[in-house]
Every structure is written in structure tokens, then in C-alpha cells.
Amino acid sequence: MIYIRKFMKVLFVCVGNTCRSQMAEAICKSLGHSADSAGTHPGSEVNPNAIIALEEKGIETAGLRPKSIDYIDTEGYDKIISMGCGVHCPNIRIDHDWGLDDPHGKPLEIYRTTRDSIIELLGNLIKKETDA
């Protein structure tokens, strides 16, 4: 049996693009896929707790920065995933809404839990796409 891993190009969207979507972008890239993230109302910097949570797992954080969905060409992505932006979701194709609570302003442990949830959700998505 030959195992073929499907390469994916994924866009993660949320409101501030400082926590959840940044972690998802970095984790997805660490798994060998192409990933970007953007927000409807991006903050000025990636949350330091998001950086800590990623680096604890050895995930590269260089180059992460908040970006506006207004400047992202959404064509060409295999999947566009909302992290749980609710009424603030942009008017674009959303393939999955992961409904993750925003850890902004919460303790580091909540960022770790969010990170681990993203790892699990991405693993399930990759497995599903590979099995398809």
C-alpha cells in the first residue's frame, strides 16, 4: 500500500488574527502545508501567549503577523476555516467553522488548550482529506 499525503493550502480566519488563527497558521505550516491567516478586525501584534504556546511545542513563529481579510485573495485555497468569528465572519466561502472560543485576555493555560484543540482539528481534517 502506498501512502500519499495530500498537500493543502488553507486559510484561517477570525476577528483579531492575533491568537487562534495565528496558531492554526503556524501549526498547519509545521505539518508541511501552505497556510495563511487573516482577521476581520486585525490587531497590531500576535498575542505573546499564542507565541509561547506554539514555541512550547517547537512550532516556528517567525513571520507571524496580523493581516486583514480585506487584502487576502481567497481564491485558490483548498479550505477556508473560521476559528469561530460568529457575526463578524467575513462574507467569503467558509468550509468549516471550528467554533473555538477566543483565548484573548485569558491565562496561558487557555492558549495551550486552544493550541491542542487546533492540533486535533487539523489532524482530523488532514486525515479526512487524505482518505478522500
Side-chain angles (χ1 to χ4, degrees):
M1 177 177 198
I2 298 173
Y3 177 76
I4 299 172
R5 180 178 175 179
K6 182 179 179 185
F7 174 81
M8 289 190 303
K9 184 175 181 184
V10 185
L11 174 64
F12 299 95
V13 296
C14 66
V15 178
N17 192 222
T18 61
C19 304
R20 299 167 291 178
S21 55
Q22 290 289 337
M23 288 193 286
E25 175 184 346
I27 293 165
C28 192
K29 286 178 177 176
S30 77
L31 296 171
H33 298 277
S34 175
D36 294 299
S37 66
T40 55
H41 300 87
S44 59
E45 66 180 8
V46 178
N47 189 291
N49 280 340
I51 299 292
I52 291 168
L54 291 169
E55 290 179 347
E56 286 176 344
K57 293 287 188 179
I59 297 168
E60 180 62 48
T61 60
L64 292 179
R65 62 178 179 75
K67 300 163 288 296
S68 172
I69 191 66
D70 295 338
Y71 302 106
I72 301 288
D73 179 2
T74 59
E75 295 299 315
Y77 286 95
D78 298 308
K79 297 290 178 187
I80 299 177
I81 299 172
S82 164
M83 304 309 287
C85 51
V87 299
H88 299 287
C89 273
N91 189 21
I92 61 172
R93 177 189 101 229
I94 301 288
D95 298 303
H96 302 282
D97 183 348
W98 285 352
L100 296 170
D101 289 333
D102 189 351
H104 182 76
K106 297 188 174 120
L108 178 59
E109 187 55 40
I110 302 300
Y111 284 79
R112 290 176 176 136
T113 300
T114 301
R115 173 204 62 208
D116 294 345
S117 294
I118 292 167
I119 290 170
E120 181 179 348
L121 288 162
L122 267 172
N124 291 339
L125 176 66
I126 292 166
K127 180 177 179 0
K128 181 179 177 183
E129 291 298 311
T130 302
D131 291 347

